[in-house]
Amino acid sequence: MQVSNETKPYDTINITPMLDLAYVLLVVFILMTTASVQGLPISLPKPSNKPSTEKHELLIVQVSANGALLLNGASLSIDEIERRLVAAKARDPKSSVAIKGDPSAAYEQVVAVIDLCNKLSIDMGLITSRIGT
């Protein structure tokens, strides 16, 4: 049997043992961090069995494609809408406005209605799509 005494440099490095060690360290790290995390204390509200009996007035302002403003289906000017919103707020301070702008309408009219609601301190929301579609 012939034994070679020549020492040749390695042209490849076997990285399998290094990867095994890296995977073992990763698993240990994951196990230790998940074991040390206990979670955050959260105080959740208790559900109520009785339904809300508060009913507040909801006004719907629509901006049509040609820029006309409608309040609950009636075509009105911005000044008349302001007067009706002031009257509605006097009747019910928690009344709110839903604003629906036509996709082809000038955005300027929608912004005017939003500014009006902000000026009168009335809660508002934007209707973005039809319910159920």
Side-chain angles (χ1 to χ4, degrees), residues 61 63 69 78 97 99 109-118:
V61 177
V63 180
L69 298 172
I78 191 78
V97 174
I99 303 168
Q109 293 288 25
V110 175
V111 171
V113 175
I114 292 171
D115 289 341
L116 177 63
C117 291
N118 285 334

Side-chain angles (χ1 to χ4, degrees), residues 69 71 75-87 109 112-113 116 119-120:
L69 298 172
L71 178 66
S75 180
L76 301 171
S77 68
I78 191 78
D79 296 328
E80 182 62 29
I81 289 176
E82 182 176 4
R83 284 192 286 277
R84 293 211 183 167
L85 291 179
V86 168
Q109 293 288 25
V113 175
L116 177 63
K119 181 175 109 176
L120 299 175

Side-chain angles (χ1 to χ4, degrees), residues 12-44:
T12 60
I13 297 175
N14 187 3
I15 62 168
T16 304
M18 185 174 55
L19 290 177
D20 289 343
L21 179 63
Y23 290 139
V24 168
L25 290 175
L26 179 65
V27 168
V28 168
F29 176 75
I30 290 172
L31 291 175
M32 293 306 292
T33 56
T34 55
S36 66
V37 174
Q38 298 297 322
L40 299 174
I42 298 175
S43 59
L44 296 173

Side-chain angles (χ1 to χ4, degrees), residues 86-99:
V86 168
K89 185 164 172 101
R91 286 191 307 269
D92 182 9
K94 290 188 176 182
S95 61
S96 59
V97 174
I99 303 168

